[in-house]
Amino acid sequence: MSIQSPTDSDERFTVQQVAFDDYEKAILEITRPMMRSLADPRSEGWLQAFDLALVRFPAPFGATIAHAIAIALR
C-alpha cells in the first residue's frame, strides 16, 4: 500500500515508511477490504473487514470499530 504525498505527486511512501502506530495500521488494514467492497460489492470485502477487526481488537471493540469505519466510508 502506498500513500501519495499531497505536495508532490511523484513522491510515494509505503505504510512501513510512515510513522503509524499499531492501532493506525490496524485501522488501515480493516479499511482496505471495506473499500474493495464499495468498488466491487460482489467481493463481500466488508465480511473480511469485520473478521479482521474481530481478530485485531478484543470484543466488543472489533465490531464497533469495523462498524464505525463502514459508517465513515458511506
Side-chain angles (χ1 to χ4, degrees), residues 44-56:
E44 296 183 352
W46 66 274
L47 291 171
Q48 181 185 8
F50 271 84
D51 286 343
L52 284 169
L54 295 172
V55 169
R56 300 285 269 148

Side-chain angles (χ1 to χ4, degrees), residues 2 12 30:
S2 323
R12 293 183 181 264
I30 295 163

Side-chain angles (χ1 to χ4, degrees), residues 9-51:
S9 62
D10 294 332
E11 189 175 353
R12 293 183 181 264
F13 302 94
T14 65
V15 170
Q16 292 78 18
Q17 293 172 308
V18 181
F20 290 136
D21 61 27
D22 289 339
Y23 176 78
E24 292 165 324
K25 288 177 185 175
I27 297 299
L28 289 172
E29 183 180 16
I30 295 163
T31 303
R32 188 173 192 170
M34 283 222 193
M35 293 168 105
R36 182 175 53 247
S37 189
L38 292 173
D40 179 15
R42 292 174 292 165
S43 74
E44 296 183 352
W46 66 274
L47 291 171
Q48 181 185 8
F50 271 84
D51 286 343

